[in-house]
Amino acid sequence: MSQFQLMGIFDDEDGVKSAVRAAKEQGLRIVEVYTPYAIHGLERLLGLKRSRLSIVCLIAGALGAGLKLWFEIWASAIDWPINVGGKPWNSLPAFVPITFEVMVLFAGLFTVLALFMVTRLYPGKQAAIIHPQVTNDRFAVLIEESDASFDVDRVREMLKQHGAVEVTERLTAEVPA
Amino acid sequence: MSQLEFTYQPPRALVQTLAALVGLGVLTWVAGLFVDPQRAWGVLLMVSFWLLSMGLAGSLFVGLQYACGAGWAVAFRRIPEAMTAAFPLGAAGLMMVFLFHPEIFPWVTHHGKAGSFHAIWLNRPFFLARAIGYFVIWFVFSAVLIRNSQRQDVDGDMRHTRRNIRASMAYMVVFSFTFALASIDWVMSLQPEWVSTIFGMYHMSGLFVSGVAMIILLMLWLKRSRPLCDFVNDEHLHDLGKLLFAFSTFWMYLYFSQYMLIWYSNMTEETVYFILRHEGVLKSMFLLNFILNWAVPFTILLPIPSKRSPRVIASMAVCVLAGRWLDLYMGIMPPITNGHVAAPWMEFGMMVGAMALFVLAFLAWFRRAPQTPVRDPLLAQSLSYHS
């Protein structure tokens, strides 16, 4: 089964913001907003939940720091103790720089990997661009028919009112759940 | 100064209390001069350096915003501008120490080997000339930045912004060199046999992080007590919180870099600095220093909601400011008192006096111009800002 969608193309961000606000007030279902750059405050208008990437970052950082610290202690105090300048085997200050570096490395790599996994990105993936100009100077707001009360003409009128330069209809295969 | 209407009047009771606290600070100092003059002059050096750093942090913050072309901070820019009022007071206190009791610097009585770099760099005429040079440079740049900003309130001319951008870029460069040298002159030379090349940078990070903490506290207070309530919101607080978090970590980075290299190479002429600060009570204060300045703010400010909560962020700002005082104490006082820690009535009395003096100077300057730069071209951007 396919879904009926209306796509409003805008040429400035204020129009996008007011259209999104109006659509939310009318209880319309906004599938996605495509913009060439990040519009500050849009995520709050759309009511998006906070990204969970920061949690991934925190856990990966703690994991990296913990593993590296364990390895350093194991290597320099248990497995192969070497006397360096008469310092104790477990000299924490000496471990700090490497622990810090590995923490940053883990946190960075795992955050990027998690981002790729969540957004299903991989090398060589074909770009799915909804409108050729959203990567340049246009903004697209995609609204989906959610129930029987969806009035195509009214939604089209609403989008136009908020400055849409073009409104197109499209049918899409239902996204598998 | 400005023809625009601005009717902010700080509560009389507050001004009177502050004046009384300043009086208390002065009395403590005078009493200290009789009890233990060496320590009293040392504490005067410490509080003056604090006042000076607070003032410089104000103009540094303003300059940084101009140099980056940043618009978010415009709405509350009058706070750092007014903070600069503390700078001449700090400079005056430092000059008193340099002129009337230079003996707290050991190189004044025990000269280095004639012709050596120590002897050339650390001699009184050159030292005083340098100090005056720094003061003049900082004063000129701060005055230019503030005057242009306040002139813009009247005529709204874009040229003031352009002039300030140019001045700020020069100020950033000049400031880093002069302040690094100044902290070496005034703090590091208390132990002239000890050198650290990261010292200037380390003091600059302390200056900036405590300045941001002070801006946060003043902003929250002025928002609650009306003058800024229509201009600042949680978005500004959030970004100031990020700065506090980042520079607290930066401070720790430099502090630890200095510590670790000295600990690692373990050379007698270098470890002397830390050995002096590792005896008895000073050892726990040494640890407390990095807990207050980094460990607590870092863990608490890590999640986003705490950077947007006035209560959490205000308590972290207080924590960092307390840490700044401790850091200054650890940097300045041990060489003067030979690592001996006495009941700190002198330190606390003068600290309170210095902070009260700071707030008085701040209020006096804050009243002189509209509470927000009304005609700054970036004000609209700052008011509708999303972090």
Side-chain angles (χ1 to χ4, degrees):
Chain A
M1 191 192 146
S2 57
Q3 282 298 100
F4 178 76
Q5 295 180 332
L6 267 184
M7 179 166 66
I9 307 291
F10 293 79
D11 59 3
D12 73 317
E13 65 170 78
D14 292 331
V16 174
K17 279 186 180 170
S18 59
V20 166
R21 209 173 288 131
K24 278 277 166 196
E25 272 164 21
Q26 294 171 23
L28 295 170
R29 190 169 150 210
I30 301 169
V31 186
E32 189 68 274
V33 178
Y34 298 92
T35 63
Y37 56 84
I39 298 180
H40 293 295
L42 189 63
E43 71 279 7
R44 244 162 275 168
L45 288 177
L46 284 168
L48 294 185
K49 271 185 280 180
R50 245 192 77 199
S51 158
R52 284 167 300 174
L53 275 181
S54 53
I55 299 168
V56 175
C57 186
L58 179 71
I59 294 172
L63 187 76
L67 282 177
K68 186 63 208 170
L69 206 55
W70 168 79
F71 177 75
E72 276 168 309
I73 290 170
W74 174 78
S76 59
I78 297 164
D79 189 54
W80 204 271
I82 294 177
N83 186 336
V84 180
K87 294 192 165 57
W89 305 135
N90 277 324
S91 291
L92 205 58
F95 298 164
V96 167
I98 310 288
T99 309
F100 172 75
E101 303 292 349
V102 175
M103 177 188 80
V104 173
L105 181 73
F106 267 55
L109 282 183
F110 278 102
T111 310
V112 172
L113 283 178
L115 173 77
F116 283 173
M117 276 164 66
V118 171
T119 53
R120 302 212 183 87
L121 274 178
Y122 49 85
K125 185 180 180 180
Q126 282 294 312
I129 295 172
I130 193 134
H131 186 279
Q133 272 175 298
V134 291
T135 58
N136 183 20
D137 60 350
R138 290 286 193 275
F139 307 80
V141 178
L142 205 57
I143 294 174
E144 193 171 71
E145 175 177 20
S146 48
D147 49 33
S149 67
F150 188 82
D151 181 344
V152 182
D153 292 331
R154 247 189 55 206
V155 177
R156 184 195 298 273
E157 204 43 51
M158 183 276 285
L159 287 171
K160 284 253 159 91
Q161 225 174 41
H162 290 284
V165 289
E166 176 190 345
V167 180
T168 49
E169 298 173 9
R170 65 199 291 275
L171 283 173
T172 167
E174 199 177 22
V175 184
Chain B
M1 167 119 203
S2 173
Q3 61 188 26
L4 292 153
E5 201 179 334
F6 178 55
T7 50
Y8 178 61
Q9 196 73 36
R12 272 184 76 84
L14 175 78
V15 175
Q16 282 165 353
T17 319
L18 288 172
L21 289 175
V22 174
L24 177 83
V26 175
L27 276 180
T28 321
W29 183 58
V30 174
L33 279 181
F34 287 103
V35 180
D36 186 348
Q38 177 79 354
R39 187 167 141 222
W41 284 104
V43 182
L44 182 65
L45 175 70
M46 178 174 82
V47 299
S48 308
F49 192 71
W50 182 84
L51 277 172
L52 178 106
S53 321
M54 273 300 158
L56 288 177
S59 63
L60 183 66
F61 190 88
V62 173
L64 204 57
Q65 302 301 325
Y66 273 114
C68 317
W72 66 277
V74 170
F76 60 90
R77 195 175 66 213
R78 286 287 134 84
I79 294 177
E81 279 179 14
M83 274 167 66
T84 6
F87 152 67
L89 299 169
L94 288 172
M95 278 318 273
M96 272 174 74
V97 178
F98 301 157
L99 289 175
F100 302 124
H101 195 81
E103 292 82 19
I104 60 169
F105 295 100
W107 48 265
V108 170
T109 40
H110 308 281
H111 303 283
K113 212 177 351 153
S116 69
F117 182 73
H118 256 190
I120 296 167
W121 187 258
L122 294 176
N123 71 73
R124 286 204 64 204
F126 189 28
F127 179 87
L128 282 175
R130 276 201 309 272
I132 292 168
Y134 305 145
F135 292 150
V136 169
I137 290 172
W138 298 332
F139 185 83
V140 168
F141 273 109
S142 309
V144 165
L145 287 178
I146 292 171
R147 210 181 49 180
N148 280 335
S149 163
Q150 296 192 349
R151 280 191 179 164
Q152 199 169 40
D153 290 343
V154 182
D155 55 17
D157 197 335
M158 259 302 281
R159 268 184 313 182
H160 298 305
T161 301
R162 278 200 291 272
R163 275 194 205 122
N164 265 1
I165 290 173
R166 262 191 307 245
S168 298
M169 287 173 172
Y171 184 44
M172 294 298 98
V173 177
V174 173
F175 178 84
S176 13
F177 283 106
T178 46
F179 189 74
L181 288 177
S183 60
I184 287 170
D185 276 1
W186 305 335
V187 183
M188 201 167 97
S189 81
L190 289 165
Q191 261 173 299
E193 74 281 11
W194 181 81
V195 285
S196 160
T197 44
I198 212 169
F199 202 78
M201 208 52 217
Y202 153 64
H203 265 274
M204 222 179 296
S205 66
L207 170 145
F208 196 75
V209 72
S210 58
V212 170
M214 188 54 95
I215 292 174
I216 289 173
L217 287 182
L218 290 171
M219 188 182 98
L220 288 171
W221 174 53
L222 290 174
K223 187 185 174 196
R224 189 183 284 185
S225 64
R226 299 266 306 139
L228 280 179
C229 65
D230 299 327
F231 301 103
V232 295
N233 53 42
D234 286 355
E235 307 291 338
H236 302 115
L237 194 62
H238 189 171
D239 270 15
L240 282 171
K242 288 180 203 163
L243 276 183
L244 187 70
F245 175 82
F247 275 87
S248 155
T249 306
F250 183 57
W251 176 90
M252 185 65 214
Y253 184 86
L254 295 175
Y255 180 91
F256 185 75
S257 301
Q258 177 178 285
Y259 175 79
M260 195 200 71
L261 290 181
I262 291 172
W263 169 85
Y264 205 94
S265 55
N266 200 14
M267 297 200 295
T268 325
E269 65 270 32
E270 289 180 349
T271 48
V272 59
Y273 183 85
F274 290 108
I275 288 170
L276 182 64
R277 288 157 179 82
H278 259 94
E279 303 286 317
V281 197
L282 282 173
K283 185 164 189 177
S284 35
M285 286 165 75
F286 184 83
L287 288 172
L288 188 65
N289 194 4
F290 96 85
I291 292 174
L292 286 180
N293 273 310
W294 177 74
V296 175
F298 180 84
T299 20
I300 304 280
L301 288 178
L302 204 49
I304 288 180
S306 55
K307 290 198 255 320
R308 298 179 78 93
S309 145
R311 261 183 55 191
V312 174
I313 204 156
S315 47
M316 284 309 103
V318 170
C319 177
V320 166
L321 283 176
R324 170 71 174 160
W325 276 114
L326 184 64
D327 193 30
L328 284 181
Y329 181 88
M330 294 300 287
I332 292 173
M333 293 310 286
I336 293 170
T337 60
N338 274 323
H340 179 70
V341 182
W345 59 273
M346 219 190 282
E347 285 80 358
F348 275 111
M350 289 175 70
M351 258 166 59
V352 169
M355 288 191 279
L357 187 62
F358 170 79
V359 179
L360 273 183
F362 171 82
L363 285 175
W365 264 85
F366 190 72
R367 291 181 50 203
R368 290 181 51 153
Q371 69 271 53
T372 197
V374 273
R375 297 221 179 127
D376 192 290
L378 293 172
L379 180 64
Q381 188 188 329
S382 178
L383 292 179
S384 62
Y385 174 69
H386 285 280
S387 71

